[in-house]
Amino acid sequence: MGIKAALPKYEIYFYNTVLCLAMFWAASWVLEVSSSNVNRKSFKTSVKPGWYYFGRRMDTADYEWMMWFSTFREHILFALSGHVLFAKICSMLAPQYRSLVYMAYGLLAVWTSMGWTYVTLILSHCILLYSISLVKIRWLCFATGLCTLATFKCEPFVSWQAEFVEGDFELRKVLFYGGCGFTTMRCISFALENCERKDGNYNILELLKYNFYLPFFYFGPIMTFDKFYVQVNRSDLTRKEREMWNIGLQGAIHLAVVVVVDVLFHFMYILTIPSDLKLLRHVSDWALVGLAYFNLVYDWVKAAVMFGVINTVSRLDHLDPPRPPKCITMLYVFAETHFDRGINDWLCKYVYDHLGGKHDNVVQELVASLCTFGVTILWLGPCEVVLIWAFFNCFGLNFELWMAKFFSLEPFSSFEVSISEATSRRIRAIFNTFNFWSIVLYNILALNSLDFAKLVAKRLLLKGFPITTVVAMFVTYCLVQVIKERERKQEKK
């Protein structure tokens, strides 16, 4: 009750106004800190000369962003353009063989970029998991897959396998871990789907087509094998009305976002400042809170653009890839907190939903979430920060269920029935406000550092109390109501 209830228009306008003013206020503080410390000694390694037109330095602290849209953009564009060209020619001349062309081009591209020994390593993992899948024992396939994934996260297996990559170029490490990690997840998906198949087995060629689809190979996202198999073997390649227009528009939007982000990097050093703890101790509370928020928004934008570019290419191939990630700052419940929708779909299908059932049993939910975050830890790589992040997110997910069970009892359930739906929504939003900042702090921990997360929490809850705490929570309450209103309108459509 009251979750998606409508509120008066003037109240929603008020929430939007407060939110916009708060964003501009926080941004002005971050801009002031960036401008006044541009020549700071600790900034020299990451704040470098930017575009000539601005005459300002630019924040280059994010290696992934610079790799995609600056340092290696020509290489990435060349590889993806070649894929699109050959895929289009094949779709016109021999559409029934397009999946084979995708595989052949992907193999050639991986061979060219990483060497034949790396291709051999990838093939050996594919053959191993394919062989295990023939036994059709689900737990054995999953255990083998996780052991294979662990070999890319633990020494001495990592160093030994890394020697299979030829050459010593800057992208070597990124491509090695990306290709190997995503290959393992795809192979597990294939093996588990093969276990579910009642009539015979899938051909190993189908696994190779699935794994060596170039747009997904190095950087994801992951599409589960059952979806990929159906879509890539679809014979009807006719497009919906205005589909090509939408694909082109999506590509133009991604290009515009890249330009806007690069422009903002000349004025707001949101990635470099959090690494300087001495400076952070002297900035205002609003600058610190703004940095925390903008870091999360930026990380979502980066993922949305990178996955968006890949998804645009895959849509040209008549595939329906996983949707872009949901912005972490648009989430106020742990049950919806996920960064990569591909990984999230994979984990839900094979672990979380498989073990958790309807997610209404406390014990089942605890087991399902522990196993899900256990796999996630292995996927991200076990370390102190990842373990702390996983613990708090797992606790938050289960705590929500415990609270839902508790407040469904008397007298709370009767109290909610007695009040209006709008009032119920407002009360829920108050609790969601604290949830929101829990999610923000836990994810700052993963994106930045433990020290930065502790500093933000201490300033927000202790040193800034009561003024900063109350104001920040009120603005967050307005944000939660804006999100709820957006969800309500989407549900009505």
Side-chain angles (χ1 to χ4, degrees), residues 103-116:
M103 181 194 72
Y105 182 83
L107 263 169
L108 182 63
V110 175
W111 190 326
T112 304
S113 59
M114 299 291 279
W116 70 270

Side-chain angles (χ1 to χ4, degrees), residues 450-468:
L450 179 59
D451 291 330
F452 180 59
K454 286 164 63 177
L455 189 62
V456 173
K458 189 180 294 184
R459 191 77 69 85
L460 180 66
L461 301 174
L462 299 177
K463 288 187 176 180
F465 186 85
I467 297 175
T468 302

Side-chain angles (χ1 to χ4, degrees), residues 175-421:
L175 297 183
F176 171 78
Y177 284 110
C180 293
F182 282 111
T183 289
T184 305
M185 300 297 272
R186 284 188 288 264
C187 286
I188 295 174
S189 177
F190 174 88
L192 294 175
E193 293 298 334
N194 194 58
C195 291
E196 296 297 320
R197 188 174 187 180
K198 297 178 181 179
D199 301 325
N201 299 288
Y202 288 109
N203 193 296
I204 191 172
L205 192 61
E206 298 298 337
L207 172 58
L208 298 181
K209 290 177 187 177
Y210 172 49
N211 188 58
F212 285 101
Y213 179 67
L214 183 64
F216 294 166
F217 183 80
Y218 286 120
F219 305 109
I222 289 179
M223 181 187 290
T224 55
F225 176 75
D226 56 328
K227 294 179 181 178
F228 182 86
Y229 179 77
V230 170
Q231 293 177 26
V232 83
N233 291 299
R234 189 167 50 203
S235 57
D236 181 16
L237 300 182
T238 56
R239 294 192 182 276
K240 298 176 183 178
E241 187 179 355
R242 295 177 63 83
E243 184 177 351
M244 283 304 298
W245 164 260
N246 291 332
I247 292 173
L249 180 62
Q250 187 183 53
I253 290 172
H254 292 143
L255 179 61
V257 171
V258 171
V259 174
V260 170
V261 170
D262 273 357
V263 170
L264 289 175
F265 276 162
H266 287 78
F267 298 92
M268 300 172 68
Y269 304 147
I270 60 171
L271 305 177
T272 297
I273 295 173
S275 63
D276 191 338
L277 292 176
K278 287 184 179 179
L279 174 61
L280 288 174
R281 292 190 180 96
H282 296 93
V283 301
S284 69
D285 294 349
W286 311 116
L288 198 61
V289 170
L291 281 169
Y293 182 82
F294 293 136
N295 262 265
L296 290 177
V297 173
Y298 162 72
D299 200 68
W300 165 72
V301 170
K302 178 181 73 172
V305 172
M306 290 196 297
F307 285 145
V309 171
I310 292 171
N311 288 354
T312 300
V313 174
S314 64
R315 284 193 173 93
L316 290 172
D317 294 333
H318 301 271
L319 299 181
D320 183 21
R323 291 174 296 163
K326 191 171 183 179
C327 183
I328 199 73
T329 57
M330 295 292 285
L331 300 171
Y332 53 85
V333 289
F334 282 92
E336 294 182 13
T337 304
H338 52 265
F339 170 69
D340 180 342
R341 288 188 194 264
I343 292 291
N344 182 72
D345 292 346
W346 191 100
L347 289 168
C348 286
K349 181 177 176 64
Y350 301 121
V351 186
Y352 187 58
D353 291 341
H354 183 75
L355 297 174
K358 295 181 180 179
H359 304 291
D360 56 0
N361 181 283
V362 173
V363 177
Q364 274 189 322
E365 181 70 5
L366 180 61
V367 172
S369 57
L370 285 172
C371 292
T372 301
F373 279 101
V375 176
T376 306
I377 289 169
L378 187 59
W379 164 249
L380 295 174
C383 64
E384 182 186 11
V385 169
V386 172
L387 290 170
I388 295 172
W389 170 85
F391 170 79
F392 281 116
N393 276 276
C394 185
F395 172 77
L397 183 63
N398 283 276
F399 188 71
E400 280 181 349
L401 179 61
W402 302 340
M403 289 297 99
K405 293 283 188 183
F406 178 73
F407 284 108
S408 66
L409 302 174
E410 293 293 346
F412 305 108
S413 58
S414 299
F415 171 74
E416 188 170 21
V417 171
S418 66
I419 62 177
S420 67
E421 290 192 346

Side-chain angles (χ1 to χ4, degrees), residues 25-40:
W25 178 251
S28 68
W29 280 99
V30 176
L31 179 62
E32 193 275 331
V33 174
S34 301
S35 300
S36 60
N37 292 278
V38 65
N39 294 315
R40 193 175 175 86

